[in-house]
Amino acid sequence: MTTITSSDLPSSPTVPTLNYRLPQIEQLLQHPDLADYVRLLSRPVVTNTLRDLFTSIRQHPDFKTQGVNDIDVMELVFNSCRQLYRRRQQRVINATGIAVHTNLGRSPINEQIWDNVKAVNTGYNNLELKLSDGKRGDRNGLLSTLIHSWIGAEDCVVVNNNAASVYLVLHALAAGKEVIVSRGEQVQIGGGFRIPDILALSGCKLVEVGTTNITTSDDYINAITENTAMVLMVHQSNFSMQGFTESPDIQDVAQRLPEHVSLVIDQGSGLSSEQYAQSEVSLPRYLQMGADLVCFSGDKIIGGPQAGIIAGCQTLCQQLAKNPMMRTFRPGRIVLSMLEQLLVQKLNRNPAAFGVAQQALDRAKDSQSLAQQWAQRWKSYVQAVPLVMQVGGGAIPSETYPCYGLKLTLPGKAQLHLDALRDLPIPIIGYVNSNQLLLNVATLLESDHAAFIAQLDNYIQSYIHTEAK
């Protein structure tokens, strides 16, 4: 009889041992490569991120059938932390050609202005204390005096942005009454801020006059009733109308308005004495023409922190300041002290107080030589090209200014390179036009030049090296 041993039997297929154990979160938190994310995001945030990631992994069908054998857990961990960090506010390099870029924080604060208010904000200050007698003081401090010297306004009120300026003016001066607005000025700006909606929310009744393209002085005057509280004129902000159009003579409207009707101008940009926007009406000119109040932003052309400024008639400003909603909209000492310092330097004609738009326009004059110099550095992969820049931020929408920039001619899709530059340690924000990746030199801050060159150097060299393989 033949004896059969185990060696004579066909072997069973090897079944891999499935691993369903994910790393312990506490051990991962000790990983040296995660130390930077713990420092940048905080330990609790990283911990919660890892817990959410592991929950997601456990619920995935691949994990249920294959465990973690084919899952690179560490790659997922680092990618999750990295994506979370990218949501944090961080420095970027503006190569878009838009000087006041809302998505990029609008106007950078000048370092000299920032440094000059450091001590006021890192210690206690006299925000609401009169040092002369020790009694409660006015939060505006010196701002009313400075703004009077700057644009000639009798008084001012400062809130946290210009949208709040418009709402406060309407709510405090015209709630329950009629406000006359041209049909061509019922605009919408970013974030869904619509003039008709704001009037409704503030308790005012909108009275429409004129047409989309033509509104006359008579249109305003003929619409006034005993219940009319205000004529509101709104800058068109981020668009312009050309062709068969007509706007009223503001001085004529102001002179013909009855005493019970205020003329309020939402000027928006804060243009004062700048010479690069001849088609725009400045703040001092609006007040000279008879506007009772002008509303504008502190972080567009002026170059200060985000704020809304209402300037003009002292009686009306005092009425606004006493409105209960003012406490909701008032800014803190950082904004107020920065505006004070900025206006002092502006009145002293210190270049530190020039807005970022003026600075970019000054740099545009040298942008051709700079672009050509850098294009020579990267030769086959970069060309110097003529471009245009804009002020941006909803200010001076119809004006463009000549300048120069760089066109990247690396192989591959322009959008992929645009995304890659946005992924750099200090993201470079350019734009694609006609399938060409463009980097506008005029809107680069001088302090960003070194990082811009070094990162573009590394990117081009690494791309060339990858392509060579």
Side-chain angles (χ1 to χ4, degrees), residues 303-316:
Q306 177 175 298
I309 302 172
I310 309 162
C313 171
Q314 186 175 45
T315 301
L316 294 179

Side-chain angles (χ1 to χ4, degrees), residues 447-460:
S447 57
D448 286 333
H449 283 189
F452 178 79
I453 294 170
Q455 291 191 128
L456 210 51
D457 251 337
N458 290 339
Y459 182 72
I460 292 173

Side-chain angles (χ1 to χ4, degrees), residues 173-244:
L173 305 181
K177 296 186 177 182
E178 297 171 352
V179 176
I180 302 173
V181 185
S182 166
R183 288 184 173 89
E185 295 177 358
Q186 294 177 42
V187 302
Q188 174 177 328
I189 61 174
F193 181 96
R194 293 184 171 188
I195 290 298
D197 294 346
I198 296 304
L199 263 81
L201 287 170
S202 58
C204 305
K205 179 183 178 182
L206 170 64
V207 177
E208 302 175 291
V209 297
T211 63
T212 300
N213 57 321
I214 293 179
T215 303
T216 66
S217 298
D218 287 343
D219 288 329
Y220 287 106
I221 301 304
N222 293 338
I224 293 172
T225 70
E226 291 183 356
N227 198 42
T228 303
M230 184 184 302
V231 167
L232 175 65
M233 296 185 179
V234 183
H235 187 274
Q236 292 170 346
S237 185
N238 49 12
F239 75 99
S240 62
M241 287 193 295
Q242 299 177 3
F244 183 49

Side-chain angles (χ1 to χ4, degrees), residues 200-384:
L201 287 170
S202 58
C204 305
K205 179 183 178 182
L206 170 64
V207 177
E208 302 175 291
V209 297
T211 63
T212 300
N213 57 321
I214 293 179
T215 303
T216 66
S217 298
D218 287 343
D219 288 329
Y220 287 106
I221 301 304
N222 293 338
I224 293 172
T225 70
E226 291 183 356
N227 198 42
T228 303
M230 184 184 302
V231 167
L232 175 65
M233 296 185 179
V234 183
H235 187 274
Q236 292 170 346
S237 185
N238 49 12
F239 75 99
S240 62
M241 287 193 295
Q242 299 177 3
F244 183 49
T245 62
E246 182 182 339
S247 298
D249 182 323
I250 295 174
Q251 189 165 357
D252 180 47
V253 174
Q255 290 173 347
R256 295 171 63 186
L257 286 178
E259 189 174 343
H260 73 280
V261 179
S262 300
L263 175 58
V264 177
I265 311 288
D266 176 13
Q267 193 252 16
S269 70
L271 183 80
S272 57
S273 59
E274 291 80 9
Q275 299 300 308
Y276 52 78
Q278 297 300 319
S279 62
E280 297 289 317
V281 181
S282 69
L283 295 169
R285 182 64 186 137
Y286 274 126
L287 293 170
Q288 291 163 8
M289 288 191 292
D292 294 299
L293 294 172
V294 289
C295 304
F296 55 99
S297 296
D299 58 342
K300 290 186 179 180
I301 287 178
I302 302 174
Q306 177 175 298
I309 302 172
I310 309 162
C313 171
Q314 186 175 45
T315 301
L316 294 179
C317 285
Q318 289 175 347
Q319 193 173 336
L320 295 174
K322 293 176 182 177
N323 187 274
M325 291 299 294
M326 182 61 199
R327 190 172 184 87
T328 303
F329 295 139
R330 70 183 188 184
R333 63 178 181 175
I334 297 175
V335 168
L336 296 171
S337 61
M338 240 179 239
L339 281 174
E340 272 190 346
Q341 182 60 220
L342 177 71
L343 290 174
V344 167
Q345 300 305 326
K346 192 178 286 290
L347 290 170
N348 283 337
R349 301 184 183 278
N350 186 334
F354 292 170
V356 69
Q358 181 65 66
Q359 295 168 18
L361 286 167
D362 291 342
R363 289 193 297 269
K365 301 169 186 175
D366 302 320
S367 61
Q368 181 175 1
S369 60
L370 196 58
Q372 290 173 340
Q373 174 188 334
W374 288 346
Q376 182 64 25
R377 179 188 187 98
W378 295 302
K379 293 185 178 178
S380 305
Y381 304 100
V382 176
Q383 295 176 15

Side-chain angles (χ1 to χ4, degrees), residues 158-161 164-165 167-168 325-331:
V158 181
V159 292
N160 49 31
N161 59 38
S165 296
Y167 180 88
L168 180 63
M325 291 299 294
M326 182 61 199
R327 190 172 184 87
T328 303
F329 295 139
R330 70 183 188 184

